[in-house]
Amino acid sequence: MSGEMDKPLISHCLVDSDGNLAEAPSGAPKVGILGSGDFARSLATRLVCSGFSVVVGSRNPKRVAGLFPAAAQVTFQEEAVSSPEIIFVAVFREHYSSLCGLSDQLTGKILVDVSNPTEQEHLQYRQSNAEYLASLFPNCTVVKAFNVISAWTLQSGPRDGNRQVPICSDRPEAKRAISEMVHTMGFTPMDMGSLASSREVEAMPLRLLPGWKVPTLLALVLFVCFYAYNFLRDVLQPYVQEGKNRFYKMPVSVVNTTLPCVAYVLLSLVYLPGVLAAALQLHRGTKYHRFPDWLHQWLQHRKQIGLLSFFCAALHALYSFCLPLRRSHRYELVNLAVKQVLANKSHLWIEEEVWRMEIYLSLGVLAIGTLSLLAVTSLPSIANSLNWREFSFVQSTLGFVALVLSTLHTLTYGWTRAFEESRYKFYLPPTFTLTLLVPCVVILARGLLLLPCLSRRLARIRRGWERGSAVRFMVPTNPALVEKTSHV
Ligand code: NAP
C-alpha cells in the first residue's frame, strides 16, 4: 500500500510532460500541511488537483520532497505555517506536543485535525484528539475533518470510496471555510456541530459493522443448532442404529438441509417483532409508550436479519445446484437403476412425487426471487429512490409474500412425511416440522391483525388515538388562574 502511495496520482489535471503534477495556478488559495506521511502525501495530491497551492512542513524536507507532487512546496515546518491561513495537522496525537514550538506562527489560524485514535486510545483518553489539539493551541481554531477518509480514497479520488466528510468546530466561519474546501475537493461535507462532537466523529472509523453483530450471532446460533439436529438425524442415527456410514454427508448434504432452515426462521424473525409491537399497542391502547428495549433492538435489526436470511437462501440454492455433481449422488442413481433392473421393473414414475417436486422447486424459485427483490431494495441507493409507501409495500407486503411462499415451499418439501413413523429418527421429528413453528405463528398472527375489528383499532392507535384519553377540562376555581389557562 505504501508503495502505491509513493506514486503521484495520475490525473488529467495539472500533469506536466514528466508525469508530475505541475505548478498550481498563481493566486490559488494556499494551504499548509504539517507532516509528510501517507496521509499528507495523498492530501497534498488531492489539494493540488483541486486547484490549491500546497506547502508541506516537514522536520526533514530534503528526505521527503521527492515523494510529493512537483506542484507542492516542501519545506521546514516553521516556513510552511507562516503564510497559509488553513493548516492540516497530519501527524499522530502523540506528536502534537512536538509542534508547540510553532504556536506563535500558528496564532489565529485554522488547524484541521485529521487524526484517528486507535481503539485503545479512544478508550484511554477522555479528551478527543481534536480537543487535545485545541487545548495545546488555544489561539487557533481547530476543525475536525477528513479523518473518515483514507489516504487511499484521497489519492484515488472520491468516486472510489466514502464521499461524506463529517466536520465539527466551535467556530461556524472556520467550519464554513473547510466545508467549501471539502466541496471543491469533490467530497460532501456533513456538519456535525461543535468540537464536542469530535469524539463521536473520531469513533466513526473505529466501528466494525455495527448493527450486524447480534443478527450474525443469531444466524450462527441457528446454524449450529440446526446443523447439530440434522447431523443427529441424517448421520448419527444411520450409523448407530443401522451401522451405515453417512459421514460423507456432512460437508454438502447436511449443510444444504441446514441453510434453508436458518433462512426460513430468520425471515420469520423479521416479521415477528412487528406482530409483537402491534399486539403490544393493541393491549396498551396507545402508541405513546416505549417498547421494551429488547423489542426496540429487535425492530432496529430487521434489515440485517432479512439480508442474512437472503444470504442463507442464496447459498441453499447454490448448494442445491451442486447436489447432482456429487459422486455419491451418481452412485445412488446407478444403484437405483441396478435395483430396478434386478427387480425387473421398467417404469419408476410416481405421479404424486413428480408433481410434488415440480411445485416444490417452483415455490422455492419464487421465494428466492421475492427475497432478492427485498435485498436489492434495502440498498441505500435504491431505498432512497422509493417513497415511503413504495418502500413499505416492498419490505412489508412483498416480504410477507416471501414468507408465505417459503412456508408453501417447506410444506411441499415435507408433504406427508410428518405423518410417517420412519421419519422420526431417534424419536426426533423431521427438521422441517420444527422450522414451520415460528413462521406459522407469524402468518396466523398477521392474519388475525387483518380482522376488521383489530386492524381498524390498530390504525386508529397508529394515528394517535388513545384508549381512555378523553381530555377533561376543569374550570379552575381561582379566577386568577382562569386567565392563565391556555385555550389551545
Ligand atoms: P505517517 O505516515 O506515520 O506520517 C506521520 C508524519 O508525522 C510523519 O511523516 C512525520 O513527518 C510527522 N511528524 C511530525 N512530528 C513528528 C514526530 N515528533 N515524530 C514522528 N513523526 C512526526 O502517518 P499517516 O498515515 O500519514 O497519518 C497521519 C495522521 O493522519 C494520523 O493522525 C492519522 O490518524 C491520520 N489519518 C491517516 C489516514 C491514512 O489512511 N493513513 C486516514 C485518516 C487519518 P516529518 O517526519 O516529515 O515531520
Side-chain angles (χ1 to χ4, degrees):
M1 183 83 164
S2 67
E4 285 292 317
M5 295 297 175
D6 293 349
K7 294 181 210 157
L9 180 80
I10 309 297
S11 166
H12 61 281
C13 59
L14 298 164
V15 178
D16 66 14
S17 53
D18 299 333
N20 278 327
L21 291 163
E23 284 291 305
S26 60
K30 205 166 194 176
V31 180
I33 301 176
L34 283 173
S36 64
D38 291 339
F39 194 84
R41 283 202 294 278
S42 303
L43 182 65
T45 310
R46 180 94 347 248
L47 283 168
V48 168
C49 262
S50 308
F52 291 92
S53 161
V54 177
V55 51
V56 179
S58 167
R59 291 166 305 160
N60 193 345
K62 257 192 185 165
R63 194 183 48 154
V64 295
L67 301 174
F68 281 84
Q73 183 194 347
V74 183
T75 178
F76 286 102
Q77 290 175 336
E78 294 76 11
E79 200 185 330
V81 298
S82 58
S83 55
E85 283 307 307
I86 296 175
I87 291 142
F88 285 83
V89 182
V91 304
F92 287 100
R93 176 189 176 122
E94 62 263 35
H95 302 138
Y96 285 178
S97 53
S98 70
L99 304 174
C100 284
L102 305 169
S103 52
D104 285 345
Q105 287 110 303
L106 289 173
T107 299
K109 304 200 172 186
I110 297 174
L111 296 184
V112 184
D113 181 286
V114 300
S115 68
N116 277 321
T118 59
E119 216 160 317
Q120 198 193 347
E121 284 170 344
H122 188 67
L123 294 174
Q124 185 183 347
Y125 302 121
R126 280 179 52 211
Q127 228 178 6
S128 69
N129 289 359
E131 287 167 323
Y132 174 57
L133 188 69
S135 71
L136 290 179
F137 298 94
N139 297 326
C140 301
T141 302
V142 172
V143 178
K144 182 89 207 173
F146 284 100
N147 64 308
V148 299
I149 304 293
S150 70
W152 173 248
T153 304
L154 275 176
Q155 197 167 102
S156 56
R159 271 164 305 159
D160 278 0
N162 182 14
R163 275 173 156 270
Q164 284 194 330
V165 176
I167 299 174
C168 62
S169 173
D170 288 338
R171 288 269 177 88
E173 60 277 17
K175 222 166 25 178
R176 215 168 301 127
I178 303 303
S179 296
E180 274 170 25
M181 198 174 211
V182 169
H183 251 309
T184 313
M185 291 164 78
F187 294 94
T188 313
M190 187 166 80
D191 193 337
M192 293 290 290
S194 69
L195 205 63
S197 321
S198 55
R199 209 175 147 73
E200 190 189 335
V201 175
E202 287 175 13
M204 285 179 179
L206 296 176
R207 289 191 208 137
L208 181 69
L209 303 175
W212 280 92
K213 276 184 196 146
V214 177
T216 310
L217 203 70
L218 176 71
L220 277 176
V221 169
L222 280 175
F223 186 88
V224 169
C225 293
F226 277 117
Y227 188 91
Y229 193 82
N230 288 326
F231 174 79
L232 271 181
R233 285 176 43 84
D234 299 348
V235 180
L236 213 59
Q237 188 272 342
Y239 183 71
V240 172
Q241 294 191 334
E242 298 161 31
K244 288 180 183 163
N245 184 344
R246 294 278 190 268
F247 286 91
Y248 69 88
K249 285 189 169 186
M250 286 172 64
V252 178
S253 185
V254 181
V255 172
N256 193 37
T257 332
T258 304
L259 283 169
C261 304
V262 180
Y264 184 36
V265 174
L266 282 177
L267 186 61
S268 65
L269 293 182
V270 173
Y271 295 97
L272 183 58
V275 168
L276 292 177
L280 212 60
Q281 286 178 336
L282 281 172
H283 172 69
R284 288 170 170 175
T286 176
K287 69 166 183 177
Y288 297 111
H289 280 191
R290 261 185 71 88
F291 292 131
D293 277 349
W294 59 268
L295 184 56
H296 183 71
Q297 291 289 325
W298 194 351
L299 287 161
Q300 299 281 311
H301 285 121
R302 283 179 296 177
K303 175 180 160 182
Q304 289 85 349
I305 298 175
L307 285 173
L308 284 168
S309 162
F310 170 67
F311 175 67
C312 293
L315 281 184
H316 168 53
L318 278 178
Y319 269 99
S320 301
F321 277 125
C322 296
L323 289 181
L325 300 178
R326 294 170 310 152
R327 204 159 274 278
S328 56
H329 177 76
R330 288 187 221 165
Y331 285 133
E332 275 169 17
L333 271 186
V334 172
N335 284 345
L336 194 69
V338 170
K339 270 188 203 161
Q340 214 180 326
V341 169
L342 291 177
N344 209 9
K345 280 188 193 167
S346 59
H347 200 61
L348 200 72
W349 181 278
I350 305 166
E351 190 76 13
E352 186 186 314
E353 265 302 290
V354 171
W355 272 101
R356 180 187 76 82
M357 202 65 188
E358 300 284 317
I359 298 170
Y360 161 70
L361 285 178
S362 176
L363 286 168
V365 171
L366 286 174
I368 202 162
T370 321
L371 270 182
S372 330
L373 213 61
L374 291 180
V376 169
T377 45
S378 68
L379 294 174
S381 53
I382 309 278
N384 288 345
S385 69
L386 302 174
N387 66 30
W388 171 243
R389 196 163 173 212
E390 290 161 343
F391 183 77
S392 86
F393 169 74
V394 174
Q395 293 297 325
S396 176
T397 313
L398 277 191
F400 189 65
V401 169
L403 184 66
V404 173
L405 285 170
S406 311
T407 305
L408 294 175
H409 176 64
T410 313
L411 285 171
T412 43
Y413 170 79
W415 211 248
T416 55
R417 291 175 200 182
F419 311 108
E420 294 169 13
E421 206 183 318
S422 61
R423 302 281 172 182
Y424 286 75
K425 299 173 177 177
F426 278 152
Y427 303 103
L428 298 172
T431 322
F432 75 88
T433 55
L434 297 185
T435 59
L436 280 166
L437 216 66
V438 185
C440 285
V441 168
V442 174
I443 292 172
L444 278 176
R446 288 272 298 226
L448 274 179
L449 290 175
L450 287 178
L451 291 176
C453 56
L454 292 180
S455 68
R456 267 194 229 133
R457 195 181 168 89
L458 193 61
R460 275 164 65 202
I461 288 173
R462 289 184 174 168
R463 288 177 72 96
W465 177 84
E466 284 186 279
R467 188 174 51 211
S469 69
V471 183
R472 286 186 215 108
F473 294 96
M474 304 243 299
V475 183
T477 43
N478 181 352
L481 279 176
V482 175
E483 283 182 10
K484 288 183 188 165
T485 308
S486 163
H487 296 285
V488 177

